[in-house]
Amino acid sequence: MATEYGQGYGLPTGPGHVQGVGGRRHLMPAALRAPVEGRAWRELAYVLLSLPISILMFTYAVTMVSLGAGLLVTFLGVPVLAAALAGCRGIGSVERARARGLLGLDVGEPEPLRLKRQGFMGWVGAVLKSGTSWRALLYSVLQLPWAVLSFTVTVTVWSLGWSLLTYPLWFWVLPTYAGQDGIQLYGDEQRAIYLDNPFEIAVTAGVGLLFTLATPWIVRALTTVDRVMVHGLLGPSRLATRVVELESDRGVVVDTAAADLRRIERDLHDGAQARLVSLAMDLGLAKEKLREDPQAAARMVDEAHGEVKTALQELRDLARGIHPAVLTDRGLDAALSAVASRCTVPVQVEVDLSERPAPAIEGIAYFTVSELLQNVSKHSRATWAAVEVWRSEERLMLQVADNGVGGADLSRGSGLAGLAERLDAVDGILVVDSPAGGPTRVTAELPWRAERTR
């Protein structure tokens, strides 16, 4: 008999077993165990608490805002309105904590107040200008009608399901204390229909079972709206999230530029500069020996000539590492072909672009492919590689593939991780597909910006 394995856990799950979270096996499917799971009871508690809490929130918000709006004819209205919004921000903090504890919804803190000037009036102005404050006010108002609806639906289906499911246990209460044979389905002056025989009682319990099984999913659907409201109105706005991302990207760009400057300075100091200093010393010695020993001086000049060639080559390599002239003059196709010619394995280059991208994007694409080909030369043990560049709508796509040993991983903090950070700083993406044993395929996406006048 074939054996199924839980994804990522390697645990057998034979017939009748359902894989659970964290590799746990369950004998019952999710539909049957949902009514007794902790998640269902936490979501039920959230809905039941929402009604009294929303009444308090609505009362506070409407009262304080109405008071502030009524006092706007005087100076007192502005600070009262600011106090109302500040209270709504505090309510938002409580609601985020409640959603985190009962719904498992982890919503980030919204952007803090930005005080342009110190003092009480500075705080009042910051509260009134903050979008977070007004979204919290909107949440406090909208939560009440939704809480009434969700509370009514939840209590109705939950009580109906459990009362019908347990009907065989308590139906005797009706003839004993209510004077009727059971639950009345229909009744008029001539006749009445009651659920009183064993078959009808069993059918009633079956209907109750269906309601009981459906209740957790109905409550989950209702709390989905609560999740959307908490996330959309009490969490950070898209603009604030984007600002945080841009600030982080700016830091990455600054760090990258500083690291490049340090690399250039180190290469100049340890390479070409040291070689030129040695060259000057050799030429000085040759000058002193020119009259005493012309042949030795000639040999020293010849050695110095070789040092000059080496220094010039190092300077060319350094200049190419800053921004190659072939990239500026002839574009990505020629520049990447030049990089491929220096790779230790044969590289096929294919660039399919109808126009050139902006110089900044073009430079990032060049250095991305250059660094990936360096990884191919140093680590892949490949016998061939391929580079493809094309445009897909508003994205510039780069792909470097090889038939090496694979095993490249972004999470190891290697050069690929640094390259991913550089691409992320310009809204780019780096995707690595490199299983052990190969092959490796690295795909990079960059935003497309067309070339302007150079």
Side-chain angles (χ1 to χ4, degrees):
M1 182 178 63
T3 302
E4 300 176 357
Y5 289 90
Q7 183 177 3
Y9 300 104
L11 297 176
T13 56
H17 292 75
V18 177
Q19 193 73 24
V21 178
R24 293 177 300 174
R25 291 175 294 171
H26 296 281
L27 296 177
M28 294 188 301
L32 295 180
R33 68 176 186 270
V36 295
E37 282 188 328
R39 176 180 177 179
W41 292 102
R42 288 192 297 270
E43 290 173 341
L44 176 63
Y46 184 90
V47 173
L48 297 181
L49 289 174
S50 291
L51 182 59
I53 292 177
S54 63
I55 293 174
L56 295 177
M57 290 191 304
F58 184 87
T59 303
Y60 170 82
V62 172
T63 302
M64 291 296 294
V65 171
S66 301
L67 179 61
L71 293 176
L72 282 178
V73 293
T74 66
F75 176 76
L76 294 177
V78 175
V80 170
L81 186 58
L85 295 177
C88 291
R89 291 176 68 102
I91 291 173
S93 300
V94 175
E95 286 296 280
R96 285 192 299 272
R98 187 165 71 97
R100 187 181 303 113
L102 296 178
L103 299 182
L105 179 65
D106 191 6
V107 180
E109 294 291 330
E111 60 273 18
L113 293 176
R114 297 181 179 272
L115 300 179
K116 293 185 177 180
R117 58 177 181 174
Q118 299 298 323
F120 177 73
M121 294 309 300
W123 175 82
V124 169
V127 172
L128 293 177
K129 294 179 181 179
S130 173
T132 301
S133 305
W134 295 100
R135 291 199 308 273
L137 172 63
L138 181 61
Y139 176 85
S140 301
V141 174
L142 294 180
Q143 178 65 13
L144 178 60
W146 175 249
V148 171
L149 174 63
S150 58
F151 182 91
T152 303
V153 173
T154 298
V155 171
T156 300
V157 296
W158 187 87
S159 59
L160 179 63
W162 283 101
S163 60
L164 293 181
L165 178 62
T166 58
Y167 183 56
L169 302 178
W170 62 268
F171 81 99
W172 57 268
V173 173
L174 294 174
T176 303
Y177 296 101
Q180 63 185 44
D181 296 333
I183 296 178
Q184 184 177 356
L185 286 182
Y186 173 78
D188 55 23
E189 296 179 355
Q190 286 77 27
R191 57 178 299 189
I193 299 177
Y194 297 97
L195 301 174
D196 54 358
N197 62 62
F199 175 75
E200 293 173 344
I201 293 173
V203 171
T204 302
V207 173
L209 177 61
L210 295 179
F211 271 98
T212 302
L213 294 177
T215 297
W217 306 103
I218 296 174
V219 175
R220 193 160 299 170
L222 295 171
T223 55
T224 299
V225 178
D226 290 282
R227 289 183 173 92
V228 173
M229 292 177 61
V230 172
H231 187 275
L233 296 177
L234 301 182
S237 64
R238 292 184 178 181
L239 178 60
T241 303
R242 183 59 178 161
V243 168
V244 173
E245 291 177 354
L246 291 177
E247 289 177 349
S248 176
D249 293 344
R250 182 182 62 183
V252 172
V253 171
V254 171
D255 293 341
T256 301
D260 290 339
L261 289 175
R262 289 193 298 269
R263 177 182 59 82
I264 294 171
E265 181 183 7
R266 183 178 63 253
D267 292 343
L268 284 173
H269 183 271
D270 298 339
Q273 181 179 346
R275 198 172 296 277
L276 290 175
V277 170
S278 176
L279 175 62
M281 295 176 62
D282 291 343
L283 289 176
L285 293 175
K287 181 179 179 181
E288 293 178 358
K289 290 190 175 184
L290 183 60
R291 294 181 181 180
E292 300 175 359
D293 191 353
Q295 293 182 354
R299 288 195 302 271
M300 297 180 69
V301 171
D302 186 60
E303 293 175 358
H305 184 255
E307 290 290 327
V308 169
K309 290 182 178 179
T310 304
L312 288 175
Q313 183 60 41
E314 290 181 354
L315 288 174
R316 289 193 191 99
D317 294 339
L318 183 60
R320 188 184 296 114
I322 299 174
H323 195 86
V326 65
L327 179 62
T328 303
D329 298 336
R330 300 174 57 189
L332 272 176
D333 196 354
L336 295 183
S337 298
V339 172
S341 65
R342 297 193 297 271
C343 189
T344 58
V345 300
V347 180
Q348 179 182 357
V349 178
E350 182 178 350
V351 178
D352 183 15
L353 296 177
S354 59
E355 58 179 325
R356 295 180 64 174
I361 300 299
E362 195 175 55
I364 294 173
Y366 170 83
F367 289 113
T368 299
V369 174
S370 178
E371 187 163 343
L372 291 175
L373 288 180
Q374 287 182 14
N375 289 340
V376 172
S377 299
K378 295 178 181 178
H379 309 296
S380 70
R381 288 183 277 172
T383 58
W384 65 265
V387 176
E388 296 182 42
V389 181
W390 72 97
R391 178 182 176 181
S392 176
E393 297 181 352
E394 295 304 314
R395 306 290 286 181
L396 176 63
M397 309 295 295
L398 316 170
Q399 191 172 87
V400 178
D402 66 74
N403 64 341
V405 296
D409 190 355
L410 281 171
S411 63
R412 296 178 182 175
S414 60
L416 288 176
L419 187 60
E421 290 181 356
R422 293 190 182 191
L423 293 177
D424 184 63
V426 292
D427 288 337
I429 302 173
L430 186 71
V431 179
V432 179
D433 180 16
S434 182
T440 296
R441 189 179 302 273
V442 181
T443 304
E445 293 186 21
L446 289 168
W448 176 269
R449 289 195 285 272
E451 177 190 25
R452 297 181 180 180
T453 303
R454 288 179 180 263

